[in-house]
Every structure is written in C-alpha cells, then in structure tokens.
Amino acid sequence: MSAGSADAGLTVVLVKAGKTKIRYPAALVADDGTRVTVRAPWAAPGVRDFGFVRFEPGDVFTEHYWRDAWFAVKEVRTGAGELKGWYCDVTRPAVVRDGELVVEDLDLDLWVSADRAEVLRLDEDEFAASGLAGRDPEAARAATEALDELERLARSADGLAPLLARPPARRSRPSPPQRTTSSTSYPAASSR
C-alpha cells in the first residue's frame, strides 16, 4: 500500500501502560506493508525541553514505524527544515487498523543529535520500574534488544540512514507475540 494522495492520513495513537498517551493526525508518506512512514507537526501544546533538545510548535516529525520491529524512529526538523536529530522510541510492533496507527510505548528511548555527536539512552529507570520484565519477560528482552540495536546503528559509520533508506529486511527469528490493543477509545493525553 502507498500513500496514494496528499490527503491520505492516519491518526497516530501512542499507548503507554494500557492508556492513550497521545493521539494526533499525520500525513501518510508511505506504507510498504512492513514499514509505515508518516509526517506530522509537533502535537503537544507548547515547548518540551529535554535539555539535549527542544520540541516546539513548528517542528516537523517524519516518523517511521515497523510492523515487525520493536521500535519507531522519528526524524525531527524545525519548521524551516533544519535537522534537530532522531528520537527513537522502543515500542511493540505497530498495528494499522481503521485509519489508526497504534503503537505501545515501552519506555526505552534513544536520542541521536543531528551531528550524531550525542547518542543518549533514555528512560532506562522508567523501563525498570514498569515491571515489564516480570509481567512479560519475552517483551522485555525484545525491548532491550531493540534499544541495543538502535544504539549500535546510531554509532555506526552511517548512523540510522541505512535503516531508514533500506527496504524492510525479513527478520531471521520470529518476533515475540504481539499483544493487540483493544478497540476501546482512551482519553487523549497532552504530550508525545
């Protein structure tokens, strides 16, 4: 499936701990059946300053989600097109249904600055506190392996570019079972 028209879009739904963290409209850029790419402006109100990067109104996110991988990669640019970097979320594999792209955030994140000088592992304390390792050890293992893979790619000579440019590769081992999210609506949240 491909984007089709400039008006094609999806609603991105980011779920965390069973509740919708945020939902926002995004333009569908491409969907090859494995990887879904969307583009959306910064969806939260106001500025979010992490110390190492600021997300603010006008920023544009080109977001890459995989149906067979445990992460999403978000290229972040200013409204003028200047690259800020890549924010990588460790998630369960994406599900697209009924006009929604649904992903479950598993707390682990990676930030890669535009010049690739900073590669920061984030929220490992939140991941440990989430209890996922006790509730679903296989998912916890997949999540930590995904973070390790993202960091390895980010620190490689070509960075994340080959991941984002290459056609989807078939994984040699099957992905752990994917928990589906129910079709119930959750209240919208205020930050990505």
Side-chain angles (χ1 to χ4, degrees):
M1 173 163 59
S2 65
S5 76
D7 295 330
L10 291 170
T11 298
V12 177
V13 181
L14 183 61
V15 177
K16 188 170 182 177
K19 297 181 180 170
T20 296
K21 183 176 176 183
I22 190 169
R23 61 186 311 121
Y24 53 92
L28 179 61
V29 174
D31 182 348
D32 65 10
T34 301
R35 182 173 63 203
V36 182
T37 301
V38 298
R39 187 167 293 123
W42 170 240
V47 173
R48 178 109 186 249
D49 190 340
F50 291 94
F52 49 87
V53 66
R54 287 170 50 102
F55 296 158
E56 50 205 329
D59 286 351
V60 177
F61 288 68
T62 301
E63 305 177 356
H64 305 272
Y65 299 91
W66 286 263
R67 290 176 174 96
D68 67 347
W70 287 67
F71 52 75
V73 177
K74 301 170 181 182
E75 178 187 275
V76 185
R77 292 183 178 271
T78 67
E82 180 184 343
L83 179 64
K84 289 186 172 188
W86 296 268
Y87 197 93
C88 307
D89 285 317
V90 174
T91 67
R92 290 184 187 268
V95 175
V96 178
R97 66 165 186 272
D98 302 327
E100 293 184 333
L101 188 155
V102 181
V103 290
E104 182 181 351
D105 184 343
L106 298 177
D107 294 310
L108 295 172
D109 301 302
L110 187 79
W111 169 253
V112 183
S113 62
D115 64 2
R116 296 181 37 227
E118 284 187 304
V119 177
L120 305 173
R121 293 171 72 107
L122 306 169
D123 303 329
E124 290 178 297
D125 55 338
E126 288 180 28
F127 178 74
S130 75
L132 184 64
R135 284 189 323 278
D136 190 344
E138 198 170 318
R141 179 189 50 77
T144 57
E145 287 177 1
L147 183 63
D148 291 344
E149 179 181 359
L150 286 166
E151 182 179 17
R152 180 187 58 75
L153 289 169
R155 294 184 185 284
S156 70
D158 295 323
L160 297 170
L163 173 67
L164 302 179
R166 73 178 181 224
R170 295 288 168 218
R171 304 257 184 236
S172 58
R173 62 180 171 82
S175 296
Q178 182 176 325
R179 190 173 73 203
T180 57
T181 306
S182 71
S183 61
T184 43
S185 295
Y186 297 103
S190 62
S191 66
R192 195 180 264 168

